Amino acid sequence: MKPIQTQIPSATWKLLQQQLKYVEENSAFYQEKFQQLGVSANNLKAEDLTQLAITTKDDLASRNEDFICVPKREIIDYVTTSGTLGAPVTFALNEADLQRLAANEEKSFQLAGVTPDDVVQITTTLDRRFIAGMAYFLGLRKLGAGLVRVGSGVPELQWDSINRFQPTYLVAVPSFLIKLGNYAKANGIDCKNTSIKAAICIGESLRDENFQLNALGKKVEELWGIELYSTYASTEMSTAFTECEAHEGNHILEDLIYTEIVDARGNLVNDGEVGELVVTTLGIETMPLIRYATGDLVKKIIEPCKCGREGARLSSVLGRKKQLIKYKGTSIYPPQITEALADWPGIDLHLVKVSISQVGTDHLEVILPDSFQQEKLAALKAHLRAKLRVLPEISFWKTKKLQQTIFNPNHRKPIRFLDERMKTDEV
């Protein structure tokens, strides 16, 4: 079968050419790659882009400093990736990159309806080498909105800030919104009667591939009764994909990033088909990436959005390439298990663990709190078997241990998946 070729708009190709020429002149890593392929940025045509080798997370980890394109004295900020698919990787930004990051987040907040009249409460940390909290802060400053920097955790302080400053938006991980909602219930607070009108949700998928709220999203909506905006971003991309008011996919900021969706062999898939997201960052000076494989499985939506904005969109992350589980002849991704558990009433804490069995196959385990009502176990097993087509082993941990594992203060996102097939846990 002849590989699919994507038509690159002339304005986008101009930006791509600028970035390709820049890395050829300044990046030791890409200079070497171009020489190995016998290509030059000056001679590349749009249809030749797919000839360039895909850059991997392993490349970024093993050749980290070879990606740096500016003198070290220009670097202002160092961050590290979250370690979702392995050990954290260092990333650096100069002043131009920080300005670009602010512009990206300003556009993202505008997509979610934030204006200078709004006050936004940020429930993510600005420290611990975390890019997201800093990005939100810079974007809101550029937009001119008010902001409340509460940081992560501490439900009591979050609610004190909501009551004290009357924010209109929250930036939060969906599972933390559930934690905040449960705290409110226990303390006589009405989540549906506050100044909050919407939440910009990060770190966890909120919708399915048909744009409907998944089980996690439905739980948040039921608790809070507010509008929910889905987002998708990563440190390496320095770019966010955010929903608009139509809630039909995350808009691609095409002046900041070029996206491709590829299959397991690295070939482009048809629009609307699920594949791995590969990105080329545009306008990055310190550590630009060319055809970087994110490991995230998504699909591209090219049909016009109801909001009237032009350009394509991405679905929520439907799975992670390295997290595929093959269990009893069935292929499963952790989000499918999380969705099935979130769809069962009363399960707010759970952990999915995969390891290697004695015979060398994947062993799948679902860990629940020991407070789970045992008389409902048979019904839960039937529910999981119906949703997943196979039944994982179910075990129980003390609630406190499970809470501490999922909401580990040393990690930036809730840990829902432990992959013991790897040398490092994937979270």
Side-chain angles (χ1 to χ4, degrees), residues 125-232:
T125 180
L126 274 72
D127 56 7
R128 299 181 188 173
R129 307 186 314 224
F130 191 20
I131 195 173
M134 177 180 65
Y136 305 141
F137 175 74
L138 293 175
L140 288 168
R141 282 197 64 194
K142 186 171 177 62
L143 178 59
L147 58 95
V148 185
R149 295 179 292 106
V150 182
S152 59
V154 199
E156 185 176 2
L157 181 60
Q158 301 288 350
W159 278 109
D160 177 76
S161 300
I162 291 171
N163 293 327
R164 186 183 297 266
F165 304 113
Q166 298 290 295
T168 47
Y169 281 78
L170 293 175
V171 176
V173 175
S175 56
F176 183 63
L177 288 174
I178 292 175
K179 188 175 181 179
L180 275 183
N182 289 336
Y183 176 92
K185 276 186 177 181
N187 289 274
I189 301 169
D190 182 3
C191 284
K192 295 181 179 179
N193 187 27
T194 74
S195 59
I196 304 296
K197 64 182 182 183
I200 297 168
C201 295
I202 63 172
E204 295 173 330
S205 291
L206 198 66
R207 300 185 188 276
D208 61 25
E209 59 184 303
N210 298 313
F211 315 127
Q212 301 302 308
L213 286 175
N214 59 22
L216 179 62
K218 288 175 182 175
K219 280 190 173 184
V220 176
E221 185 181 57
E222 182 181 341
L223 270 171
W224 287 82
I226 57 177
E227 192 165 7
L228 303 176
Y229 289 90
S230 176
T231 66
Y232 164 60

Side-chain angles (χ1 to χ4, degrees), residues 7 15 20 27 33 77 83 121 129 135 147 151 155 162 207 224 228 239 250 261 266 281-282 323 331 340 358 407:
Q7 293 293 325
L15 294 172
L20 290 168
S27 168
K33 291 298 180 184
D77 200 77
Q121 183 161 316
R129 307 186 314 224
L147 58 95
I162 291 171
R207 300 185 188 276
W224 287 82
L228 303 176
T239 312
N250 300 318
I261 314 293
T281 54
L282 304 173
Q323 292 182 345
S331 295
Q358 291 182 346
F407 299 103

Side-chain angles (χ1 to χ4, degrees), residues 224-280:
W224 287 82
I226 57 177
E227 192 165 7
L228 303 176
Y229 289 90
S230 176
T231 66
Y232 164 60
S234 75
T235 301
E236 299 96 317
M237 297 189 296
S238 291
T239 312
F241 303 78
T242 305
E243 278 186 337
C244 66
E245 66 275 14
H247 304 291
E248 292 193 348
N250 300 318
H251 283 266
I252 301 170
L253 301 179
E254 295 178 332
D255 58 333
L256 297 179
I257 199 160
Y258 178 70
T259 58
E260 303 170 75
I261 314 293
V262 304
D263 62 19
R265 296 179 298 277
N267 297 320
L268 297 175
V269 304
N270 289 307
D271 291 327
E273 292 183 356
V274 176
E276 182 179 9
L277 177 65
V278 170
V279 300
T280 298

